[in-house]
Amino acid sequence: MKLTWLGHSSVVLDLDGVRVLTDPLLRPHAGLLRRLAPRPDPALWSRPDVVLLSHLHHDHAELRSLRMLPGAVLMSAPANVAWLRRRKFLNTVPLGDGWTPVGRGVEIRQVPAEHRHRPMPHRPNDAHGQLVRGPSGTVWIAGDTGLFPEMAGLSGMAGGRIDVALVPVWGWGPRLSAGHLSPETAARAVALSGARFALPVHWGTLHPPFVTRFARSWLEQPGRRFADAVAEQAPGCAAVVLSPGQSWAPPG
């Protein structure tokens, strides 16, 4: 198992010979939002087998980025898949509560997320996380979510302990709207899930125009705060804070 954080919620998961890419943002910017880090190196994300979309907000389902991945199978909630098919993304598979095999002993299933705020009038608003498991371990991809009690049941949904959790820890600045996790509530989510390792995402990457001129610390502090909160609230878990473009493989 190897994970590479591309920035924001885009992660490359190489698991037992299958490459999974989450919520890809592959271009220099995302609409009006600017990148603090450089554009992801194509060598890091090329040729994924599966692309997982947690939901269809523009910073998670950017259509021009998806069109850069013509050979991948797109997987998301059924309503999201139907919407994508109407836009000529035909290589799509809906996810549900059961396991969907994707080859080499790797399988994927959908799990709940709490992200119903800011509904979009022109796209479905289904939001979920995913579990990806293979012979080498299990990864929980939280997607955008708030804290909810059912996180304590994720290991049961996974059929065993979760090895790595990918959890969002921030937004665009110091104020978080409903349906998001702060570094501290993300640490509580990790404790509920029982994961061995946790990687913070959704931070330090995108910002509104000009924000770095007066509030760069907004973008740089969440990773450190998350690591401190995990050490305090989830002593059985180790936080792994990466920089965009950095890779990590869990020991053992």
Side-chain angles (χ1 to χ4, degrees):
M1 184 193 301
K2 184 177 77 169
L3 298 103
T4 303
W5 184 43
L6 303 180
H8 201 54
S9 291
S10 304
V11 176
V12 177
L13 167 62
D14 290 301
L15 180 63
D16 298 309
V18 174
R19 171 163 282 191
V20 178
L21 175 59
T22 70
D23 290 351
L25 280 176
L26 306 177
R27 301 190 304 117
H29 303 297
L32 294 177
L33 297 173
R34 308 290 90 188
R35 272 190 180 272
L36 182 67
R39 172 184 178 178
D41 183 351
L44 298 176
W45 52 260
S46 63
R47 298 185 179 181
D49 300 292
V50 175
V51 172
L52 296 178
L53 298 181
S54 60
H55 61 299
L56 296 183
H57 281 172
H58 292 278
D59 58 320
H60 294 262
E62 204 266 324
L63 298 186
R64 290 176 66 180
S65 291
L66 293 178
R67 291 192 176 99
M68 297 166 65
L69 305 164
V73 178
L74 302 183
M75 293 186 168
S76 191
N80 299 341
V81 164
W83 186 89
L84 289 164
R85 287 175 178 170
R86 292 195 295 272
R87 279 139 190 87
K88 309 303 181 184
F89 293 97
L90 302 181
N91 195 14
T92 55
V93 173
L95 287 174
D97 295 338
W99 292 97
T100 298
V102 295
R104 299 178 180 266
V106 176
E107 51 191 356
I108 301 170
R109 63 163 292 178
Q110 189 168 269
V111 294
E114 180 59 50
H115 192 64
R116 293 191 292 267
H117 76 303
R118 295 181 182 174
M120 296 178 291
H122 58 294
R123 293 186 177 194
N125 290 282
D126 288 13
H128 296 84
Q130 297 96 17
L131 288 168
V132 183
R133 72 180 182 187
S136 296
T138 300
V139 177
W140 170 40
I141 303 162
D144 272 10
T145 187
L147 197 66
F148 57 94
E150 291 79 7
M151 287 177 174
L154 285 166
S155 60
M157 299 178 197
R161 188 173 185 183
I162 293 168
D163 294 287
V164 182
L166 307 180
V167 289
V169 302
W170 204 242
W172 313 126
R175 290 188 177 183
L176 292 170
S177 57
H180 290 97
L181 295 171
S182 69
E184 291 73 27
T185 55
R188 270 183 275 170
V190 168
L192 285 171
S193 75
R196 297 171 55 223
F197 300 95
L199 274 68
V201 300
H202 207 283
W203 70 282
T205 309
L206 298 175
H207 59 86
F210 311 118
V211 73
T212 53
R213 294 187 181 181
F214 60 88
R216 190 180 182 93
S217 64
W218 290 356
L219 304 171
E220 295 176 337
Q221 64 175 280
R224 180 180 65 254
R225 280 177 48 186
F226 175 71
D228 291 343
V230 167
E232 179 180 344
Q233 300 184 47
C237 179
V240 180
V241 181
L242 302 180
S243 300
Q246 189 175 4
S247 298
W248 170 80

